[in-house]
Amino acid sequence: MTNETVITREMLAHYLELNHKKKEVETELEELKKVFNNYFDMSVGKNAKGEMVLRDYKIQRQIRDTVKFKQEQTVQRLEELNLLELIQKKPDEGKIKSAIQLGLLHEEDLEGCKTVNSSQAIYVKYLPTR
């Protein structure tokens, strides 16, 4: 079975149209979310969960807290508590790139130490005829 892929002008135009609509919808959704969050801020307080029912619609606001440890202070405290097994060493990518640029380190020195992740991206642009 042959799998022929054909890209047409109409497909590209349709893609651009849908992408434009997507951006409009995302903008409108963000505006509505702001209105909803303002309502809950006023009615139940900032960073408080809440819910409301309007006839056959129910709206809820959930609050998710993300906790991250301050690296320097946490490492210092864990060292003071002699809990070294809770500390991870990790390479500083910015400093490594700088060291390579300065010639202090060579790419070959780190052979086998890197992983490369690739992702695909599609960009479509309308080019009006001149």
Side-chain angles (χ1 to χ4, degrees):
M1 175 190 274
T2 358
N3 185 7
E4 285 189 37
T5 305
V6 177
I7 296 176
T8 64
R9 181 186 184 284
E10 289 75 22
M11 290 168 70
L12 296 175
H14 188 60
Y15 179 91
L16 275 179
E17 179 185 338
L18 290 174
N19 204 28
H20 182 72
K21 286 180 183 177
K22 174 185 162 196
K23 289 178 183 176
E24 287 177 353
V25 168
E26 287 172 346
T27 300
E28 196 171 336
L29 283 170
E30 286 304 314
E31 289 172 11
L32 286 169
K33 285 179 190 178
K34 283 181 189 174
V35 170
F36 299 153
N37 276 310
N38 285 336
Y39 169 83
F40 284 116
D41 286 347
M42 300 298 283
S43 63
V44 296
K46 279 195 177 285
N47 293 323
K49 67 180 186 174
E51 72 177 48
M52 181 177 93
V53 176
L54 280 173
R55 294 189 196 150
D56 52 344
Y57 290 96
K58 178 179 182 177
I59 181 172
Q60 292 181 303
R61 175 166 80 173
Q62 301 289 323
I63 303 297
R64 295 185 190 108
D65 291 328
T66 304
V67 177
K68 292 190 178 197
F69 293 99
K70 297 178 184 175
Q71 187 169 341
E72 210 171 294
Q73 294 92 325
T74 305
V75 167
Q76 184 178 350
R77 183 73 44 84
L78 291 170
E79 287 174 344
E80 289 168 4
L81 296 170
N82 201 27
L83 294 170
L84 303 179
E85 65 276 4
L86 301 181
I87 301 171
Q88 285 184 346
K89 290 183 181 181
K90 63 180 187 177
D92 186 323
E93 293 181 24
K95 288 181 181 178
I96 291 172
K97 287 178 184 175
S98 295
I100 291 171
Q101 287 177 343
L102 293 171
L104 302 173
L105 183 65
H106 302 285
E107 292 274 351
E108 308 84 59
D109 296 333
L110 297 175
E111 195 167 315
C113 297
K114 295 188 283 184
T115 60
V116 177
N117 295 320
S118 298
S119 62
Q120 298 174 332
I122 299 290
Y123 298 99
V124 176
K125 188 178 187 179
Y126 176 64
L127 302 172
T129 53
R130 296 177 184 165

